[in-house]
Amino acid sequence: MTDFLMRRAAALMMSAFAFVLQAHPAAAQTIAITGGKVFPVSGPPIENGTVVITNGKIVGVGANIPVPANARRVDASGKWVTPGLINSSTQLGLVEIGQVADTRDMQARGQDNIAASFTVWEGLNPNSVMLAPARKEGVTSFVVLPTGGLVSGQAAILDLVEGTTTDMIMRSPVAMVAEIGNAAQAGTTSRGELIVKLRELLEDTKFFITHRAQFDRADTREFRASRLDLEAMIPVVQGRLPLLVIVDKQSDIDAALRIARDYNLKLIVGGGAEAWLMAGKLAAARVPVLTGAMNNIPAGFAALGQRQENPGLLSAAGVRVALIGNAGGGDEEAFNVRNIKQEAGNAVAYGMTWENALKAVTLWPAEIFGVSDRVGSLSPGRDANVVVWSGDPFEFTTRAEHVFVRGIQRTEKTRQDLLTERYLTMPGKLR
Amino acid sequence: MRRYFVRLTALATFAAAACRPYSGTQRPSPASGKDSAVAAAGLGSKSLPNADPFPSTYVRVASAPLVIRNVHIMTAAGPTIRNGAVSVADGKIVAVGATVDVPAGAVLIDGNGKYVTPGIVDVHSHLGVYASPGGSALSDGNEATNPSTPNVWAEHSVWPHDPQFPRTLAGGVTTIQVLPGSANLIGGRSVVLKVVPSRTVQGMKFPGAKYGLKMACGENPKRVYGTRADGPSTRMGNVAGYRTAWINAEAYRRQWDKWNDGHKGDPPTRDLGKETLAEVLRGNILVHNHCYRADEMAQMIDIAREFGYKIRSFHHGVEAYKIADVLAKEGIGASVWADWGSFKIEAMDAVRANLPLVDRIPGSHAMVHSDDPSGSQRLNQEVAKAMKAGIEAGLSITSDQALRWMTINAAWALGLDDRIGSIEKGKNADLVLWSADPFSVYTRVEKVWVDGAMLYDRFDTAEHWRTDFELGFVPTRAR
């Protein structure tokens, strides 16, 4: 046997062994979180409630749930228990250091500013140091969005479980992302032209569906989008995949609603600085909005009406809102994905009910992205993405004391923890 | 939804610089020969030749005496006074304690068990120089035409109708230092402003506040000038640039000091840039140095020592926690974010415990700063995050201690800690009334007083400061 083969055989044995070690606790362990104030989100809070987890799934939630004899008990007396938080707008794992180009993987060139076939999560780095800080503060699922162009590409929702990207993906794609607020970015010079271009893409996709044979024989007119991009748009025009439009200005939101109506699309508004000016219409059209609660600056002529009351006004009008980071100049989408808690707290300070703010970082995003059968609430059959908090999850003093992702508790130190520990002693080892 | 390229753009164009404040009462001119106060060279000597060509015209808003009672007073000078009272007259704090005398005609505010703190001080702001609604027309923060521009003054870029000003005031911020951006090695002068409505920047200028000089280390100057033949394109090029500027400034300072000694012959020709740098060498302008990395801060300390000037504060000191002992020993402040990081390599080692790790060293000056119009509105929340991180790291930190990170320590960095930053008798009456503990996420600012005048009342929207720009442009209700 050569050295190479010997090493390979040993490696295979080791990995098989490692698999057993890893898989066993998750698969067989039963965990009972007892005594806490449990917020199932899908139902009313339960004082002194119990959550039972087996095989990575929630199997029981309630006030009088029997605790299995073999269960590891987590005493949550005096604590708050919620579903893991979902951050619906991130570039986690796609951007490590913003100004280093080879650590940025969230934008595709596309053809003519259309990159519908771009599957952004395929480039995600599961070893990113950005992941652990988010998980440590109670974020257990996240949506990754592509950016740029007119059609940016496809979004996915992932769990912050350890493993490969394949292990992490919960559902992909969950939306097609388009940015219709910026004419220049779409390769046009006016809003109306940009809208025409989007409508042309939708028309071409419909035509492509019914003329595929001719297309394959090169017997159709030319399309400005590539074949792959047209293919990727099919579920959008068929109403199976939501179109997530990134848009701030009221008139742009209005245009998006018209397009969605004309083509019978499933629409999500993202950004939505001026969405509160359209709250009634968005509610009537059952269009959800992803927006933040920490920006009130008329930062450009497309966002003159930006205000912190936006999520409160929208949810009061009946719009399903997912809270996202909105004011950090960018790093709220990677380095500070954890600050979604702060966003929720501020939403409450500016008029959203606390219950709706909790929904806006758990159940509502799960519903918006079609994964409410997996995450977003504490009820039997759901994945065990559960957080035990020392108190109100949105308060700064509160700690996420136990974070479970698919039933596995995560406790690793972050790179930031390691740096802090190293310099706690001064001057320390590095004189 | 803003993407990180916003930050890149901002940093490429942002930089900070100077404010200089010489007292408005003394304006010696080389031609008049009346600058006899201008003495020998060296730290503490008087400025020249024209100390204050753009003097403050700030006038405090007239207001009746004020007493806030039944309120928890976080003074930044000692422990919180529970259910105490503070009394204000003629723009100054008259008394603070468990009880105070109520002067005749005083406005009485029942604090109702809420909290009062000093007005917040933001030492790193670009309000007015990067005004909203943004775009190149209002991008006035980086004179990115030369790596060394000590000749520019931030106040000449400030737009008083920037709608970011009233929002920052509503966040409890009453004093800001507006800096040029960080494109340049030496970016220019900063200006210290009161966050008050005014038609002119002079009307916002903090009377008697010293100017600052904005300098920038590391990646930004390298990136901005890296494609030019004369650079700098490296960190060593950066350092050569600082040293060259100081060598020239030192020669200029000697020239003027010599002339001032006897006023013999024609005065030397003025040079705006060297004039600013000479004022730094004389100790009349405070250096605010954008510098992320610990090793690079140490380089800047050596340069300051070589030329005999002092660095007042490192801004964006993401790695300040690595050299907290050095900074304390040198008497240099650390102006930092609570939790921004990784937008570039030099920000990679950001930790949330930076503020508490610096603060625990005796003699340190740790403070939070925003560099951001949104962050400036909730510096209390930034401090709360940092405080929690410190406690998690095992440090003992009280709210009273953390309060100093956004009040008195920041006032010190501007040389104004004798006037603002704490609630003590004789200080300017810059006060914030909070709906509850200022470090709760749910707490909101209810009222803000600047020099004893209430300039923000959350519940009186008719009186809210709306800039000229906002009239008509910014919607206030759905139609």
Side-chain angles (χ1 to χ4, degrees):
Chain A
M1 213 186 242
T2 66
D3 282 357
F4 170 77
L5 286 175
M6 282 179 67
R7 281 205 305 273
R8 188 171 164 75
L12 281 170
M13 284 172 63
M14 284 302 291
S15 62
F17 183 60
F19 176 75
V20 171
L21 273 185
Q22 271 183 359
H24 180 75
Q29 192 172 32
T30 296
I31 300 157
I33 302 166
T34 59
K37 182 170 184 178
V38 177
F39 293 82
V41 183
S42 51
I46 304 159
E47 297 289 346
N48 195 12
T50 297
V51 178
V52 180
I53 298 168
T54 299
N55 296 336
K57 297 276 185 187
I58 296 168
V59 294
V61 179
N64 296 301
I65 301 291
V67 174
N70 62 339
R72 177 194 148 206
R73 277 176 178 266
V74 174
D75 180 9
S77 305
K79 319 287 185 192
W80 297 28
V81 184
T82 72
L85 306 187
I86 302 171
N87 189 324
S88 300
S89 172
T90 83
Q91 295 175 350
L92 215 48
L94 300 175
V95 181
E96 199 73 21
I97 296 165
Q99 284 184 19
V100 179
D102 64 358
T103 73
R104 281 164 43 193
D105 292 291
M106 69 308 157
Q107 185 163 0
R109 185 169 298 160
Q111 180 175 314
D112 194 25
N113 303 90
I114 292 165
S117 57
F118 177 38
T119 48
V120 67
W121 61 90
E122 305 264 24
L124 187 140
N125 171 19
N127 299 319
S128 165
V129 298
M130 304 292 163
L131 305 185
R135 180 167 51 215
K136 188 184 174 184
E137 303 227 13
V139 176
T140 58
S141 305
F142 62 106
V143 176
V144 286
L145 302 177
T147 187
L150 170 59
V151 177
S152 313
Q154 302 167 42
I157 185 164
L158 300 90
D159 274 334
L160 275 163
V161 71
E162 193 176 48
T164 63
T165 305
T166 307
D167 298 328
M168 293 167 71
I169 292 171
M170 191 184 337
R171 186 172 178 204
S172 64
V174 292
M176 180 67 69
V177 180
E179 304 203 16
I180 68 165
N182 187 331
Q185 193 176 289
T188 65
T189 53
S190 66
R191 297 189 131 72
E193 186 188 11
L194 179 158
I195 297 300
V196 166
K197 203 170 162 182
L198 183 59
R199 285 178 180 272
E200 180 190 32
L201 175 65
L202 295 166
E203 292 290 350
D204 282 355
T205 306
K206 288 170 75 173
F207 185 83
F208 176 74
I209 294 170
T210 52
H211 296 76
R212 187 190 295 270
Q214 289 102 305
F215 179 90
D216 288 344
R217 290 196 308 269
D219 191 19
T220 59
R221 60 182 166 84
E222 279 194 23
F223 301 110
R224 263 198 288 183
S226 75
R227 180 185 64 79
L228 286 178
D229 291 333
L230 290 168
E231 295 273 10
M233 287 298 292
I234 291 173
V236 177
V237 300
Q238 292 178 339
R240 292 184 283 121
L241 185 67
L243 183 68
L244 167 51
V245 294
I246 309 299
V247 66
D248 281 326
K249 192 171 173 162
Q250 181 192 9
S251 60
D252 293 337
I253 298 171
D254 192 27
L257 285 172
R258 280 197 303 274
I259 292 171
R261 195 186 54 212
D262 291 351
Y263 290 90
N264 204 20
L265 307 180
K266 202 188 270 186
L267 187 70
I268 303 169
V269 166
E274 295 191 342
W276 63 275
L277 292 167
M278 299 280 289
K281 287 181 169 139
L282 287 163
R286 306 177 65 81
V287 171
V289 175
L290 322 181
T291 195
M294 289 173 63
N295 209 339
N296 59 3
I297 294 172
F301 284 95
L304 292 173
Q306 186 150 247
R307 57 188 295 198
Q308 288 178 261
E309 290 83 356
N310 197 21
L313 292 169
L314 287 168
S315 55
V319 177
R320 263 184 317 181
V321 174
L323 287 166
I324 59 172
N326 205 33
D331 81 352
E332 78 278 16
E333 290 176 330
F335 191 75
N336 276 322
V337 162
R338 56 193 172 182
N339 284 350
I340 192 72
K341 296 169 27 174
Q342 187 183 359
E343 205 79 46
N346 276 277
V348 175
Y350 286 82
M352 197 176 202
T353 66
W354 189 91
E355 292 71 20
N356 279 349
L358 181 61
K359 280 183 186 164
V361 289
T362 54
L363 185 58
W364 282 344
E367 289 174 351
I368 291 166
F369 293 110
V371 290
S372 56
D373 59 332
R374 295 281 301 275
V375 296
S377 62
L378 300 180
S379 44
R382 303 294 185 277
D383 291 357
N385 289 7
V386 186
V387 183
V388 180
W389 308 87
S390 62
D392 180 341
F394 305 150
E395 270 294 9
F396 296 112
T397 47
T398 299
R399 292 186 56 148
E401 297 193 345
H402 304 273
V403 180
F404 297 91
V405 188
R406 294 185 194 162
I408 300 174
Q409 183 161 9
R410 309 299 319 175
T411 55
E412 79 278 34
K413 285 176 179 162
T414 68
R415 176 175 147 74
Q416 295 179 45
D417 294 334
L418 297 171
L419 281 164
T420 300
E421 280 178 16
R422 168 171 285 187
Y423 287 96
L424 263 172
T425 49
M426 190 65 69
K429 288 177 195 162
L430 298 174
R431 307 202 155 262
Chain B
M1 248 183 232
R2 294 195 298 157
R3 299 297 184 186
Y4 79 93
F5 66 76
V6 174
R7 166 80 44 82
L8 300 191
T9 311
L11 288 174
T13 46
F14 269 35
C19 119
R20 126 185 143 77
Y22 205 66
S23 149
T25 56
Q26 184 190 7
R27 302 176 61 190
S29 123
S32 73
K34 288 180 182 169
D35 49 352
S36 56
V38 176
L43 289 179
S45 63
K46 293 296 184 180
S47 62
L48 58 120
N50 190 351
D52 195 18
F54 303 91
S56 169
T57 59
Y58 170 78
V59 178
R60 79 177 168 84
V61 177
S63 55
L66 164 74
V67 172
I68 310 170
R69 295 188 297 196
N70 185 29
V71 73
H72 305 316
I73 305 168
M74 299 179 76
T75 66
T80 296
I81 300 166
R82 311 288 300 179
N83 294 307
V86 55
S87 145
V88 169
D90 299 325
K92 304 283 183 194
I93 293 166
V94 174
V96 55
T99 59
V100 298
D101 293 336
V102 177
V107 173
L108 277 172
I109 303 268
D110 182 355
N112 198 20
K114 295 168 182 174
Y115 286 72
V116 164
T117 68
I120 297 168
V121 179
D122 188 353
V123 297
H124 197 111
S125 174
H126 298 297
L127 299 198
V129 303
Y130 286 111
S132 281
S136 62
L138 293 170
S139 175
D140 290 310
N142 267 321
E143 183 57 35
T145 52
N146 189 293
S148 182
T149 55
N151 52 320
V152 305
W153 298 27
E155 66 199 73
H156 300 138
S157 278
V158 170
W159 184 37
H161 293 290
D162 181 355
Q164 295 169 150
F165 284 121
R167 284 155 181 77
T168 289
L169 178 72
V173 177
T174 53
T175 305
I176 60 175
Q177 174 172 232
V178 178
L179 297 147
S182 55
N184 297 349
L185 302 172
I186 298 175
R189 292 195 190 200
S190 70
V191 63
V192 178
L193 300 180
K194 286 174 172 284
V195 188
V196 295
S198 174
R199 293 169 296 170
T200 64
V201 72
Q202 290 90 336
M204 304 174 79
K205 283 177 76 172
F206 198 118
K210 287 194 171 190
Y211 279 98
L213 176 71
K214 169 68 178 290
M215 297 180 67
C217 295
E219 294 182 24
N220 288 10
K222 245 163 57 94
R223 185 178 66 244
V224 173
Y225 295 101
T227 55
R228 283 176 31 162
D230 52 350
S233 67
T234 61
R235 282 185 159 84
M236 58 188 175
N238 287 354
V239 170
Y242 311 126
R243 296 177 78 202
T244 302
W246 289 118
I247 288 167
N248 292 333
E250 173 58 22
Y252 182 82
R253 181 188 68 79
R254 271 189 277 110
Q255 234 183 348
W256 268 97
D257 289 343
K258 189 176 163 195
W259 185 83
N260 272 299
D261 218 16
H263 291 185
K264 294 201 182 81
D266 288 338
T269 305
R270 285 181 67 186
D271 179 301
L272 286 178
K274 290 175 189 167
E275 204 166 287
T276 289
L277 297 181
E279 283 291 79
V280 173
L281 295 173
R282 295 185 183 103
N284 296 326
I285 289 181
L286 305 174
V287 173
H288 294 274
N289 201 332
H290 155 130
C291 219
Y292 286 72
R293 260 170 39 183
D295 60 311
E296 218 166 3
M297 290 187 237
Q299 306 271 25
M300 296 310 296
I301 291 169
D302 281 351
I303 295 168
R305 195 172 285 131
E306 180 183 6
F307 293 99
Y309 69 90
K310 294 275 187 194
I311 297 163
R312 187 66 165 194
S313 184
F314 284 115
H315 289 223
H316 315 339
V318 154
E319 294 189 4
Y321 68 95
K322 297 186 182 180
I323 50 160
D325 53 340
V326 175
L327 297 178
K329 182 163 157 274
E330 297 288 334
I332 299 174
S335 308
V336 306
W337 297 292
D339 65 358
W340 283 16
S342 273
F343 42 90
K344 50 183 171 172
I345 293 264
E346 63 190 8
M348 204 168 58
D349 285 0
V351 300
R352 265 189 171 170
N354 197 5
L355 275 165
L357 284 169
V358 171
D359 193 48
R360 79 205 158 117
I361 307 290
S364 66
H365 298 278
M367 74 205 80
V368 73
H369 71 1
S370 77
D371 190 29
D372 177 77
S374 283
S376 192
Q377 298 177 37
R378 47 188 85 81
L379 287 171
N380 58 314
Q381 298 187 6
E382 298 303 298
V383 165
K385 285 185 282 189
M387 179 168 63
K388 182 211 174 198
I391 291 168
E392 280 188 4
L395 304 172
S396 121
I397 300 157
T398 65
S399 294
D400 290 318
Q401 186 181 348
L403 176 73
R404 300 169 65 86
W405 304 342
M406 61 182 192
T407 55
I408 191 70
N409 291 8
W412 171 85
L414 302 180
L416 292 172
D417 49 326
D418 58 338
R419 277 166 276 184
I420 57 172
S422 62
I423 301 180
E424 292 178 275
K425 186 181 173 183
K427 284 208 162 178
N428 293 359
D430 293 353
L431 300 169
V432 183
L433 177 68
W434 304 82
S435 61
D437 179 344
F439 297 130
S440 163
V441 73
Y442 303 121
T443 297
R444 289 187 61 181
V445 169
E446 293 199 345
K447 293 175 172 47
V448 181
W449 292 267
V450 176
D451 289 325
M454 197 203 295
L455 295 189
Y456 173 76
D457 180 349
R458 182 185 162 196
F459 300 107
D460 188 359
T461 51
E463 286 297 310
H464 283 186
W465 167 15
R466 281 170 68 75
T467 60
D468 286 0
F469 171 71
E470 290 176 82
L471 303 179
F473 265 127
V474 176
T476 52
R477 58 182 175 293
R479 281 174 295 182

